[in-house]
Amino acid sequence: MKTVELRTPLDDDQISNLESGDKVFLSGEIYTGRDAAHKRLVKLIEEGKELPFDLKGAVIYYVGPAPSRPGQIMNSAGPTTSYRMDSFTPLMLENGLKGTIGKGPRSIEVRESMVKNKGVYFAAVGGAAAGIAFSVKQASVIAYEDLGPEAIRRLIVERMPLFVVNDTKGNDLFEAGVAEYRREE
Amino acid sequence: MREIDVASVTKAVKDLSISTNIYLGDDVKNALREALEKEESPLGREILQVILENHEISEREKMPICQDTGVAIVFLEVGQEVHFTGGAIEDAINEGVRQGYAEGYLRKSIVADPVLKRKNTTDNTPAIIYTRIVPGDKVSIQFAPKGGGAENMSEVRMMTAAQGIEGVKDFVVDRVSRSGGNPCPPIVVGVGIGGSFERCAMLAKEALFRTIGEPNPDPEFNEVEKELLRRINNLGIGPQGLGGRTTALAVHIKTVPCHIASMPVAVNIQCHVSRHGETII
Ligand code: SF4
């Protein structure tokens, strides 16, 4: 377990260096998206149309932030539960997506796709949403404004604190962590 | 007969919407501090520390503790001597939600059509309102913003008397086990037993309102709660599901009588952002 400073966009070398359990400070451009936005993105990919942002090397943060107050860059913005995006993620990884940020475990299909396509899944601390907001330095809605909190936003983050859950070797921090602290009754 | 203008209910709901989303009860904060002392996993301790620091940030900055500021759950108790004036009581409650979620810069998380269109109502209404008529001339409003992540891990099961208390315990532990890291552990587990299909689900939700650390008034169920808490924490799920000794902060059981043929059981999962508040008018 190591601490890594990471800057987007991510390439295969950066990704392959990450191991389940590593602590990461992520900086650079990332995009927000939840179920409703994923549905539209996947439809665009299937139709061969252009996406509102470049997926190559991209990181998607599963979040629907609270609305910002006047003058506030970002209001509370913690992760949402990732399994709701599981059915969309493999296709996005095949099209260049490198990282996803959320909470809770991923499906076997997503984990296998991360090994195959060299992708990684990060956990942010769910519910610690006010603190996370302060690592966001810029934010703007770039697509699907009609979805309100579920619109796609482009964020510039600075040293956003994350943990590597799934790496490119197929490790899973949920499984490993639970196995270590489980006590048989 | 006591006349109460529904405008005072609107004001109370508005204030509760904002305050419950920023300030957490001392019972929850203390339980998290105790968990931090006991947690064996270094990563678990780090996560608990982040959660506790987040409370300080949200209070200082007046920002919601969590971006999911929930669906507005309202338990309304109306004294039968009360006469509401100035409009419809449910409209007044929804107006309070509308104002609170706008002025508090809280997230609007309600879609009008649950399946087909899923279009956001943009003001976080409608609230989910449960009303009881009780003796007296007071109105009590219990308010809880309920996040989706933990609610999604909840379940109702129609069990049989033959399955007994051991069956209930296994169901609760299994439900938590299958939830893993999804509901943002450490969690509070509300269990409702008895009544009917829908009544036990409400009971499970009501159980979440109990102050953490307060014992169950029934000594036998108090023991069951302790056993369940031990078994749940032995699952190893830990803070955020990444492994550790703190999976739940508390298990709260509520029971009511039921039909001779039935034993309905509901498990309502609450994340560590266990928000609720009460105003009495
Ligand atoms: S489960 Fe609770 S802490 Fe987690 S995102 Fe939902 S409301 Fe926030």
Side-chain angles (χ1 to χ4, degrees):
Chain A
M1 275 186 235
K2 54 187 183 297
T3 301
V4 185
E5 297 281 343
L6 214 54
R7 185 166 284 278
T8 63
L10 302 179
D11 62 33
D12 284 358
D13 285 346
Q14 284 168 302
I15 290 282
S16 303
N17 173 42
L18 296 174
E19 285 172 314
S20 185
D22 286 351
K23 186 168 180 174
V24 165
F25 288 105
L26 184 72
S27 303
E29 194 175 85
I30 64 173
Y31 297 92
T32 72
R34 297 170 42 108
D35 332 23
H38 273 72
K39 220 172 162 174
R40 295 189 189 180
L41 291 175
V42 160
K43 191 157 179 277
L44 289 179
I45 296 175
E46 283 167 354
E47 290 169 355
K49 293 191 179 137
E50 203 183 323
L51 300 193
F53 62 94
D54 189 3
L55 264 189
K56 199 169 177 307
V59 174
I60 295 184
Y61 180 21
Y62 303 144
V63 59
S68 296
R69 293 191 295 244
Q72 185 185 37
I73 297 167
M74 180 53 68
N75 200 346
S76 300
T80 194
T81 324
S82 306
Y83 74 84
R84 297 198 318 270
M85 269 56 73
D86 280 352
S87 58
F88 307 113
T89 306
L91 184 65
M92 311 215 13
L93 288 163
E94 280 159 31
N95 282 274
L97 179 69
K98 281 290 154 202
T100 55
I101 306 169
K103 65 169 172 100
R106 308 308 302 262
S107 68
I108 292 291
E109 290 77 16
V110 174
R111 287 164 57 182
E112 285 172 357
S113 177
M114 282 190 277
V115 173
K116 195 168 135 223
N117 298 297
K118 288 212 180 351
V120 67
Y121 169 52
F122 304 100
V125 178
I132 295 172
F134 286 93
S135 50
V136 179
K137 301 302 170 193
Q138 276 181 47
S140 53
V141 172
I142 59 156
Y144 313 145
E145 190 142 23
D146 61 300
L147 294 179
E150 301 203 64
I152 295 183
R153 289 167 173 79
R154 177 178 169 275
L155 309 181
I156 306 288
V157 294
E158 199 59 51
R159 304 198 79 231
M160 182 184 190
L162 305 170
F163 302 103
V164 176
V165 174
N166 298 105
D167 56 24
T168 53
K169 289 132 208 132
N171 296 312
D172 181 278
L173 192 57
F174 288 107
E175 278 179 7
V178 173
E180 188 170 345
Y181 292 97
R182 189 183 175 92
R183 303 277 182 279
E184 290 312 321
E185 281 275 331
Chain B
M1 190 68 88
R2 177 179 171 220
E3 293 212 337
I4 294 180
D5 190 328
V6 294
S8 60
V9 174
T10 296
K11 171 84 170 59
V13 170
K14 172 186 151 185
D15 292 347
L16 282 167
S17 307
I18 298 172
S19 63
T20 55
N21 271 299
I22 299 175
Y23 306 98
L24 214 51
D26 286 334
D27 60 331
V28 187
K29 290 196 217 166
N30 288 335
L32 285 162
R33 277 190 212 108
E34 278 172 34
L36 175 61
E37 277 169 33
K38 285 192 223 143
E39 182 54 59
E40 293 165 23
S41 150
L43 176 56
R45 277 202 300 276
E46 186 171 345
I47 290 167
L48 290 169
Q49 231 141 16
V50 169
I51 288 172
L52 286 162
E53 276 162 24
N54 186 60
H55 300 159
E56 287 168 27
I57 298 169
S58 61
E59 286 180 19
R60 188 178 66 229
E61 306 287 336
K62 306 277 178 287
M63 285 163 74
I65 307 158
C66 185
Q67 80 292 337
D68 184 353
T69 51
V71 55
I73 309 270
V74 176
F75 283 97
L76 181 72
E77 283 189 353
V78 183
Q80 62 188 30
E81 312 294 329
V82 170
H83 174 219
F84 285 119
T85 60
I89 183 67
E90 294 209 350
D91 292 348
I93 289 170
N94 281 319
E95 183 56 27
V97 169
R98 193 171 289 126
Q99 291 179 12
Y101 276 70
E103 285 178 36
Y105 291 91
L106 306 176
R107 199 180 77 184
K108 289 80 180 171
S109 312
I110 307 301
V111 288
D113 175 327
V115 192
L116 302 175
K117 298 191 188 71
R118 287 191 73 86
K119 198 171 163 356
N120 200 300
T121 62
T122 72
D123 59 5
N124 218 54
T125 68
I128 293 175
I129 305 168
Y130 300 111
T131 308
R132 277 184 64 210
I133 309 291
V134 296
D137 65 354
K138 295 204 170 28
V139 172
S140 137
I141 303 158
Q142 283 194 304
F143 184 95
K146 191 74 170 73
E151 192 74 357
N152 284 346
M153 295 297 121
S154 306
E155 190 174 334
V156 174
R157 196 173 279 183
M158 302 306 284
M159 301 185 73
T160 62
Q163 287 172 293
I165 190 68
E166 293 309 318
V168 173
K169 288 180 201 165
D170 289 347
F171 170 42
V172 175
V173 174
D174 176 58
R175 183 56 267 184
V176 174
S177 174
R178 279 185 290 127
S179 304
N182 291 318
C184 289
I187 55 176
V188 179
V189 184
V191 182
I193 315 173
S196 51
F197 180 72
E198 81 291 352
R199 183 73 186 98
C200 72
M202 273 180 66
L203 273 182
K205 180 137 282 132
E206 286 167 26
L208 297 175
F209 281 77
R210 197 170 98 207
T211 303
I212 296 175
E214 229 174 60
N216 191 308
D218 181 314
E220 275 183 279
F221 278 110
N222 198 48
E223 288 307 309
V224 175
E225 288 181 0
K226 282 191 204 156
E227 184 190 331
L228 281 173
L229 186 61
R230 190 196 71 232
R231 282 177 63 181
I232 287 169
N233 284 332
N234 278 342
L235 290 171
I237 294 168
Q240 294 296 303
L242 294 170
R245 304 291 301 150
T246 323
T247 303
L249 302 173
V251 179
H252 292 171
I253 300 174
K254 252 191 130 171
T255 63
V256 290
C258 70
H259 191 280
I260 47 172
S262 307
M263 194 175 76
V265 184
V267 181
N268 196 196
I269 307 278
Q270 168 63 53
C271 57
H272 64 83
V273 189
S274 181
R275 300 160 281 196
H276 49 90
E278 185 181 20
T279 298
I280 294 171
I281 300 174

